[in-house]
Amino acid sequence: MTLKLLDQFKNPELSKTLLERLREEIDGELRFMEVCGTHTVAIFRSGLHSVLPEELIHLSGPGCPVCVTHESEVNAFLDLAARDDVILATFGDLMKVPGEKGHCLKNAQADGARVKVIYSPFDALTLARENPGDTIVFLGVGFETTAPTIAATIKMAREQGLDNFKVLSFHKLVPPALEVLINDPETAIDGFILPGHVSTVIGIHPYDFICEKYAKPAVVTGFEPVDILQSLLMMVRDRKKGSFKVENQYQRAVSENGNPKAVEVMEEVFTASDALWRGIGMIPGSGLEIGEAYESFDAKKAFGLKIEECPPLPGCKCGEVLKGKMRPDQCPLFAKACNPASPVGPCMVSTEGSCAAYFKYKVD
């Protein structure tokens, strides 16, 4: 039954019908932005970008957590990797993300640093048990989707007495970044396809300000072609009506209030803080740092790390791409010095990055 339901959202005939309705009902240019890496890939992989009405202009936003990890944050990774008493535990997609001067964890590992690729934050607890003489530092990167799991891991570490386990938290919150983008006159965003994965945790109401304060359409959206086309049609119709509220197209996975238990554990362990975003800079209240009750597990405090903003990589235009101001192929390094085999910027490193998707699906 579930597979049959999912097949409906891949139905080419239904997609064709929705496209026809979009062409009939759109009455002016609409610049829409997606802010989820999975949406980025879905739009390029399905070829939607090439069949949408020309009035519908797609902007790819800062929805890839690896891509928005700031150069200064990567420098902090590298500082820890250089310590003899530290084992870094990380997901594999961070290994090639460049910091200042293009250095990355892959380079550090090749030079002898103890960097372990793991598949779950709970694997880092195993490392802590197996290496009691070392400090295990898990690199906490991601949006609201992954933060509750990291919070639960920290709670488990305290319950198990694993004092040699630490987390370097560079988690980021999506809604504050959206408000910064709305207020940037160079982006001129008319509406948002909102992230499905993040919304399973936080629900739909943290985005209310988009509609209530800025009178722009915003739709929480699934990841199949029909999902995306339905959401665009909902945006077009909302704009024609001139009345806006956050709509939930992805009701099969997202409830109005999200997952309260996940939010509860996230808020128990973390507290909101200012955070650096690659290409955007400092956004107040857009990060998550470990709160006072769990500060003994905070790698920043344990090692006295200072995160200082550093200049962007020379020639790399990931910042402009992440803000929707530039297509990936307009970067002078795209598909030349920067490609998936030898990435210069993070948007080419991550499989969910705009540049990687643009390159893989040969977008014209």
Side-chain angles (χ1 to χ4, degrees), residues 48 109 127 330:
L48 285 179
Q109 188 183 54
L127 284 174
Q330 292 175 321

Side-chain angles (χ1 to χ4, degrees), residues 302-325:
F303 293 99
L305 296 177
K306 294 183 179 180
I307 313 303
E308 298 178 353
E309 192 163 357
C310 64
L313 298 168
C316 176
K317 301 299 181 182
C318 277
E320 286 80 356
V321 171
L322 289 167
K323 288 183 281 191
K325 296 181 179 181

Side-chain angles (χ1 to χ4, degrees), residues 117-150:
V117 174
I118 59 175
Y119 299 96
S120 163
F122 302 120
D123 293 341
L125 298 184
T126 301
L127 284 174
R129 283 191 293 269
E130 294 175 348
N131 298 273
D134 295 304
T135 300
I136 310 303
V137 178
F138 176 75
L139 303 182
V141 169
F143 298 132
E144 293 94 333
T145 315
T146 56
T149 306
I150 311 306

Side-chain angles (χ1 to χ4, degrees), residues 52-113:
L52 290 175
E54 62 181 15
E55 299 95 333
L56 275 171
I57 299 172
H58 168 225
L59 306 174
S60 189
C64 162
V66 170
C67 302
V68 299
T69 300
H70 198 272
E71 296 95 327
S72 301
E73 296 172 338
V74 179
N75 289 346
F77 302 164
L78 296 171
D79 287 346
L80 286 177
R83 295 181 61 101
D84 293 334
D85 57 345
V86 167
I87 298 174
L88 287 189
T90 180
F91 296 139
D93 53 2
L94 279 179
M95 292 295 289
K96 291 186 178 180
V97 178
E100 195 174 13
K101 300 179 181 178
H103 295 162
C104 65
L105 288 174
K106 194 72 176 176
N107 302 140
Q109 188 183 54
D111 291 337

Side-chain angles (χ1 to χ4, degrees), residues 224-242:
E224 302 298 341
V226 169
D227 290 319
I228 295 165
L229 291 169
Q230 281 183 340
S231 294
L232 292 174
L233 188 58
M234 293 162 80
M235 278 191 202
V236 168
R237 290 173 174 172
D238 282 352
R239 198 166 70 158
K240 288 173 75 173
K241 288 187 298 184

Side-chain angles (χ1 to χ4, degrees), residues 279-348:
I280 300 176
M282 185 68 75
I283 301 180
S286 69
L288 289 175
E289 65 180 21
I290 297 173
E292 184 177 351
Y294 291 88
E295 65 180 3
S296 63
F297 296 96
D298 188 344
K300 289 181 194 173
K301 293 181 179 177
F303 293 99
L305 296 177
K306 294 183 179 180
I307 313 303
E308 298 178 353
E309 192 163 357
C310 64
L313 298 168
C316 176
K317 301 299 181 182
C318 277
E320 286 80 356
V321 171
L322 289 167
K323 288 183 281 191
K325 296 181 179 181
M326 176 184 287
R327 293 196 320 267
D329 64 334
Q330 292 175 321
C331 174
L333 304 183
F334 179 79
K336 297 169 186 171
C338 185
N339 58 69
S342 180
V344 173
C347 294
M348 191 66 85

